Amino acid sequence: MEKIFKGMENGPEVIDKNFNELADPKRDQTVNDLTVKGEIKGKDKVYYHKYFDDSRNFGYIAKRYGTSVDVIIYNKNGDAKSPLSGNNTLIDSQHGLPAGFRPSEMSYGTLFGDVQPALLVVWLDGALSSNKSALTQDNYWNLSGSVHFTTNDDFPG
């Protein structure tokens, strides 16, 4: 950037050059003495959200980076207890993925028990569910699963 002053002979050219420099998307920005109250949010930061239901011995960890979200379902020491409640719900929207981690469209992953895989569904409201027929008392001893999707949500607060 070139300084502009009254009476410059090449003023219009310098103004045009300065505007072109400002419009360059590759332009580096230097900030001196930046004070931030809170945290800086953005596409390069990684955000986590965790939930664990002690009474049923399973939960999830959600990781957001950019517009991508990974969710991992896990349990501790085997023996996930009655993972499905009404409507094939694993985790309802109240305890499901919060704003900032929700999918832009219904998303599907895989859920594993001891015997056979099942479908893991992530709803727009953050609830997680599965197909009950694949998750019976006999085959969710070591419940685990994962799903990957994109989100249009703002970054978490």
Side-chain angles (χ1 to χ4, degrees):
M1 299 285 292
E2 189 174 332
K3 196 172 198 172
I4 301 169
F5 56 91
K6 188 176 182 179
M8 284 181 83
E9 289 183 25
N10 63 342
E13 292 85 15
V14 171
I15 291 171
D16 189 50
K17 179 182 166 201
N18 287 350
F19 277 119
N20 287 337
E21 185 178 334
L22 287 171
D24 183 359
K26 296 178 185 172
R27 180 175 182 252
D28 288 335
Q29 301 269 336
T30 302
V31 177
N32 296 316
D33 302 320
L34 176 66
T35 301
V36 176
K37 294 183 179 182
E39 68 178 279
I40 297 175
K41 298 178 182 180
K43 65 179 180 168
D44 295 331
K45 184 164 172 55
V46 177
Y47 300 88
Y48 291 94
H49 179 76
K50 299 175 184 177
Y51 171 77
F52 193 82
D53 183 340
D54 288 313
S55 68
R56 298 190 301 158
N57 195 32
F58 77 98
Y60 67 84
I61 299 172
K63 175 183 174 183
R64 165 137 183 216
Y65 47 99
T67 59
S68 295
V69 177
D70 292 322
V71 179
I72 297 172
I73 303 289
Y74 71 101
N75 68 352
K76 295 179 183 174
N77 305 320
D79 194 22
K81 296 171 178 59
S82 302
L84 291 171
S85 57
N87 222 12
N88 296 343
T89 302
L90 287 161
I91 301 172
D92 63 20
S93 60
Q94 179 183 358
H95 299 103
L97 300 172
F101 292 88
R102 294 178 179 168
S104 54
E105 58 185 35
M106 189 181 294
S107 298
Y108 304 92
T110 306
L111 195 61
F112 298 96
D114 281 346
V115 178
Q116 62 186 18
L119 189 65
L120 173 61
V121 181
V122 183
W123 298 83
L124 297 179
D125 64 0
L128 299 148
S129 66
S130 187
N131 52 326
K132 190 173 186 171
S133 61
L135 287 176
T136 65
Q137 184 70 34
D138 298 329
N139 72 358
Y140 58 71
W141 177 260
N142 290 306
L143 189 67
S144 65
S146 64
V147 61
H148 173 85
F149 54 83
T150 58
T151 183
N152 292 331
D153 286 356
D154 290 335
F155 287 99

